Amino acid sequence: MRPIKKAVFPVAGLGTRFLPATKVVPKELLAIIDRPLLQYAVDEAIEAGIEQFIFVTGRGKGAIEDYFDMAFELETTQIGRGKDISALHGTRMQPGQAVFLRQQEPLGLGHAIWCARHIVGDEPFAVLLPDEFMYGSPGCLAQMVAAYERLGGNLLCTLEIPIDQTSSYGVVDPGERHGAVVEIKGLVEKPAPGTAPSNLILPGRYILQPEIMQVLGRQEKGAGGEIQLTDAMAALIGSQPFNGLTFAGQRFDCGSKAGFIEANLALALDREDIGDHILAYAADLIATIQKGRGLSRDVA
């Protein structure tokens, strides 16, 4: 069984739900407290043993490449002033460790992954969607790699959600379950309300065999007029093993404003340096709202 050493990060999206903030700042660089979403995903991949990082970007996303480069002026200035630069650790990739390529047209997740086919080659690889923030220890991908080493094949992260929310996701048609692992008999991308085969969705972490690239290369457009990864995986079921693993941790949908705020609040409360302060502020805020006073924009 070949180890998982490469990871693809599809980061070409426009982030329109966070406009105007994402007019010039890639949504993947929006911060949860003081670290960008993308940094959390990269750290998760490093923990899982990933050695090569493939970023599929788009026009206007040059800041992502800059983020993982040396910040010469910042670093030399801080060092010259005797300042600590440990906060920058992990933000600079080693030479040759990161690959940046462009998805020239917004044709969907499946197309973005297919753009990395020449870098992936004939190796199995991981895919991480940074705006799906998976929080736990060990990390989501580390849990998946451990399961992959037992099971092989294709391994997808799965998550249970209310059935009435499944129309926004790729949904699993499940087979036999063994603890946190479930056999995947089929996949449906964004099923119409009332037609989902289960309430198990795919929240954005995958370990895939390289044959998926061949399928994506001939895949027709699906839901939303895009080339869907879910459709390509469904086409491989039966010829390759597919299993799902339920992540033992928390998931925050940081592609939505509510999920982004939830992640900031949850991590702030978990931090030793600011947790007590945020907890006290939250308690005061709730008390104020419960008294019916609400918040006011007036400062006079």
Side-chain angles (χ1 to χ4, degrees), residues 153-156 158 170-176 182-189 197 200 202 206-209 211-212 215-216 218-219 228-244:
N154 300 272
L155 186 69
L156 317 180
T158 56
V171 181
V172 171
D173 182 4
E176 294 185 6
V182 61
E183 175 193 9
I184 295 177
K185 298 194 302 180
L187 295 166
V188 182
E189 179 65 24
L200 274 180
L202 305 179
Y206 313 84
I207 293 176
L208 300 170
Q209 296 300 313
E211 290 77 13
I212 193 72
V215 180
L216 288 170
R218 58 178 182 267
Q219 185 72 42
Q228 297 291 348
L229 175 62
T230 301
D231 294 341
M233 293 188 297
L236 274 178
I237 293 174
S239 61
Q240 290 186 346
F242 274 80
N243 289 288

Side-chain angles (χ1 to χ4, degrees), residues 12 32 96 100 176 204 285:
I32 304 297
F100 298 87
E176 294 185 6
L285 181 61

Side-chain angles (χ1 to χ4, degrees), residues 58-294:
R59 285 182 293 278
K61 292 294 190 88
I64 292 175
E65 189 168 352
D66 291 340
Y67 176 82
F68 288 107
D69 199 356
M70 179 181 183
F72 180 80
E73 294 83 357
L74 173 63
E75 294 181 27
T76 54
T77 300
Q78 290 293 87
I79 291 172
R81 294 174 176 174
K83 301 290 186 179
D84 180 21
I85 63 167
S86 60
L88 298 177
H89 291 172
T91 66
R92 189 197 306 179
M93 293 286 184
Q94 297 298 315
Q97 191 178 30
V99 178
F100 298 87
L101 53 93
R102 281 193 175 186
Q103 181 186 21
Q104 294 173 322
E105 297 179 78
L107 295 178
L109 175 59
H111 180 263
I113 293 168
W114 178 77
C115 289
R117 64 197 181 282
H118 296 305
I119 311 300
V120 168
D122 63 353
E123 297 181 45
F125 62 101
V127 177
L128 299 90
L129 307 188
D131 56 3
E132 291 283 0
F133 182 26
M134 313 298 275
Y135 186 58
S137 183
C140 182
L141 191 60
Q143 294 180 29
M144 293 177 67
V145 167
Y148 169 80
E149 290 172 349
R150 302 192 313 270
L151 300 168
N154 300 272
L155 186 69
L156 317 180
C157 181
T158 56
L159 180 75
E160 290 190 20
I161 66 169
I163 193 73
D164 60 356
Q165 297 178 14
T166 54
S167 60
S168 298
Y169 299 93
V171 181
V172 171
D173 182 4
E176 294 185 6
R177 296 176 184 255
H178 302 279
V181 175
V182 61
E183 175 193 9
I184 295 177
K185 298 194 302 180
L187 295 166
V188 182
E189 179 65 24
K190 298 180 180 178
T195 66
S198 74
N199 68 333
L200 274 180
I201 66 158
L202 305 179
R205 297 292 186 276
Y206 313 84
I207 293 176
L208 300 170
Q209 296 300 313
E211 290 77 13
I212 193 72
M213 293 299 191
Q214 300 173 22
V215 180
L216 288 170
R218 58 178 182 267
Q219 185 72 42
E220 296 182 357
K221 294 179 181 179
E226 298 180 335
I227 297 174
Q228 297 291 348
L229 175 62
T230 301
D231 294 341
M233 293 188 297
L236 274 178
I237 293 174
S239 61
Q240 290 186 346
F242 274 80
N243 289 288
L245 178 73
T246 299
F247 170 52
Q250 288 181 275
R251 172 249 186 179
F252 299 95
D253 177 8
C254 289
S256 72
K257 296 173 186 176
F260 183 78
I261 293 170
E262 289 170 359
N264 270 281
L265 180 59
L267 266 68
L269 291 172
D270 204 30
R271 292 260 300 241
E272 291 185 1
D273 56 341
I274 59 175
D276 290 343
H277 175 86
I278 297 300
L279 180 61
Y281 172 76
D284 288 344
L285 181 61
I286 292 170
T288 298
I289 293 172
Q290 288 177 336
K291 291 177 181 177
R293 293 201 297 267

